[in-house]
Coordinates of all heavy atoms in Angstrom, one line a residue:
L390 N 294.1 1.9 -178.5 CA 294.2 0.7 -179.2 C 295.3 0.7 -180.4 O 296.1 -0.1 -180.5 CB 292.8 0.2 -179.7 CG 292.8 -1.3 -180.4 CD1 293.4 -2.3 -179.5 CD2 291.5 -1.6 -181.0
K391 N 295.2 1.8 -181.1 CA 296.1 2.0 -182.2 C 297.6 2.0 -181.7 O 298.4 1.4 -182.3 CB 295.8 3.3 -183.0 CG 294.7 3.0 -184.1 CD 294.8 4.2 -185.1 CE 293.6 4.2 -185.9 NZ 292.9 5.5 -186.0
A392 N 297.7 2.7 -180.6 CA 299.1 2.8 -180.1 C 299.7 1.5 -179.6 O 300.7 1.2 -179.8 CB 299.1 3.9 -179.0
I393 N 298.7 0.7 -178.9 CA 299.0 -0.6 -178.4 C 299.4 -1.4 -179.5 O 300.5 -2.2 -179.5 CB 297.8 -1.1 -177.5 CG1 297.7 -0.2 -176.3 CG2 298.2 -2.4 -177.1 CD1 298.7 -0.2 -175.3
K394 N 298.6 -1.4 -180.5 CA 298.9 -2.3 -181.7 C 300.2 -1.9 -182.3 O 301.0 -2.8 -182.9 CB 297.8 -2.3 -182.7 CG 296.6 -3.0 -182.3 CD 295.5 -3.1 -183.4 CE 294.6 -4.2 -183.2 NZ 293.5 -4.2 -184.1
R395 N 300.6 -0.6 -182.3 CA 301.8 -0.3 -182.9 C 302.9 -0.8 -182.1 O 303.9 -1.3 -182.6 CB 301.9 1.3 -183.0 CG 302.7 1.8 -184.2 CD 302.3 3.3 -184.4 NE 302.0 4.2 -183.3 CZ 300.9 5.0 -183.2 NH1 300.0 4.9 -184.2 NH2 300.6 5.7 -182.2
S396 N 302.7 -0.7 -180.8 CA 303.8 -1.2 -179.9 C 304.0 -2.8 -180.1 O 305.1 -3.3 -180.1 CB 303.5 -0.9 -178.4 OG 303.4 0.5 -178.2
E397 N 302.9 -3.4 -180.3 CA 302.9 -4.8 -180.4 C 303.7 -5.3 -181.8 O 304.3 -6.5 -181.8 CB 301.5 -5.4 -180.4 CG 300.9 -5.5 -179.0 CD 299.5 -6.1 -179.0 OE1 298.9 -6.3 -180.0 OE2 299.1 -6.2 -177.8
L398 N 303.7 -4.4 -182.7 CA 304.4 -4.6 -183.9 C 305.9 -5.0 -183.6 O 306.5 -5.7 -184.3 CB 304.4 -3.4 -184.9 CG 303.1 -3.4 -185.7 CD1 303.1 -2.1 -186.6 CD2 302.8 -4.6 -186.6
K399 N 306.4 -4.3 -182.6 CA 307.9 -4.5 -182.2 C 308.1 -6.0 -181.8 O 309.1 -6.5 -181.5 CB 308.2 -3.6 -181.1 CG 308.1 -2.3 -181.5 CD 308.5 -1.3 -180.4 CE 308.3 0.2 -180.8 NZ 307.5 0.9 -179.8
L400 N 307.0 -6.8 -181.5 CA 307.1 -8.1 -181.0 C 307.0 -9.2 -182.2 O 307.2 -10.4 -181.9 CB 306.0 -8.5 -180.0 CG 305.8 -7.5 -178.8 CD1 304.6 -7.9 -178.1 CD2 307.0 -7.8 -177.9
R401 N 306.8 -8.5 -183.3 CA 306.3 -9.5 -184.5 C 307.3 -10.6 -184.8 O 307.1 -11.8 -185.2 CB 305.9 -8.7 -185.6 CG 307.0 -8.2 -186.5 CD 306.5 -7.1 -187.4 NE 307.5 -6.1 -187.5 CZ 307.2 -5.1 -188.2 NH1 306.2 -4.7 -188.8 NH2 308.2 -4.0 -188.2
E402 N 308.6 -10.3 -184.6 CA 309.6 -11.2 -185.1 C 309.5 -12.6 -184.3 O 309.6 -13.7 -184.9 CB 311.0 -10.7 -184.8 CG 311.9 -10.7 -186.0 CD 313.2 -10.1 -185.7 OE1 314.2 -10.7 -185.1 OE2 313.4 -8.9 -185.9
K403 N 309.3 -12.5 -183.0 CA 309.4 -13.8 -182.3 C 308.1 -14.2 -181.5 O 308.0 -15.3 -181.1 CB 310.5 -13.6 -181.1 CG 311.8 -13.5 -181.7 CD 312.9 -13.8 -180.4 CE 314.2 -13.2 -180.7 NZ 314.9 -13.0 -179.4
I404 N 307.2 -13.3 -181.5 CA 306.0 -13.6 -180.5 C 305.3 -14.8 -180.9 O 304.9 -15.5 -179.9 CB 305.2 -12.4 -180.3 CG1 304.4 -12.5 -179.1 CG2 304.3 -12.0 -181.5 CD1 305.0 -12.4 -177.8
D405 N 305.0 -15.0 -182.2 CA 304.2 -16.1 -182.5 C 304.8 -17.5 -182.2 O 304.1 -18.4 -181.6 CB 303.9 -16.2 -184.0 CG 303.0 -15.0 -184.5 OD1 302.3 -14.5 -183.6 OD2 302.8 -14.9 -185.7
E406 N 306.1 -17.6 -182.3 CA 306.8 -18.8 -181.9 C 306.8 -18.9 -180.5 O 306.6 -20.0 -180.0 CB 308.2 -18.6 -182.4 CG 309.2 -19.8 -182.2 CD 308.7 -21.1 -182.7 OE1 307.8 -21.1 -183.6 OE2 309.1 -22.2 -182.1
M407 N 307.0 -17.8 -179.8 CA 307.0 -17.9 -178.2 C 305.5 -18.3 -177.7 O 305.4 -19.2 -176.8 CB 307.2 -16.5 -177.6 CG 308.7 -16.2 -177.8 SD 309.0 -14.5 -177.2 CE 310.5 -14.8 -176.3
V408 N 304.5 -17.9 -178.3 CA 303.1 -18.3 -177.9 C 303.0 -19.8 -178.1 O 302.5 -20.5 -177.3 CB 302.1 -17.4 -178.7 CG1 300.7 -18.1 -178.5 CG2 302.1 -16.0 -178.2
K409 N 303.6 -20.3 -179.3 CA 303.4 -21.7 -179.6 C 304.2 -22.4 -178.7 O 303.6 -23.5 -178.1 CB 304.0 -21.8 -181.1 CG 303.7 -23.2 -181.5 CD 304.3 -23.4 -183.0 CE 304.0 -24.9 -183.4 NZ 304.7 -25.9 -182.6
V410 N 305.3 -22.1 -178.3 CA 306.2 -22.8 -177.3 C 305.4 -22.7 -175.9 O 305.3 -23.8 -175.3 CB 307.6 -22.1 -177.2 CG1 308.3 -22.8 -175.9 CG2 308.4 -22.4 -178.4

Side-chain angles (χ1 to χ4, degrees):
L390 183 58
K391 275 197 191 134
I393 296 290
K394 284 189 162 173
R395 217 165 26 241
S396 300
E397 286 178 349
L398 283 177
K399 299 182 185 126
L400 304 169
R401 72 192 144 191
E402 234 177 82
K403 292 199 206 155
I404 195 73
D405 289 348
E406 180 56 25
M407 287 179 136
V408 167
K409 186 173 177 309
V410 170

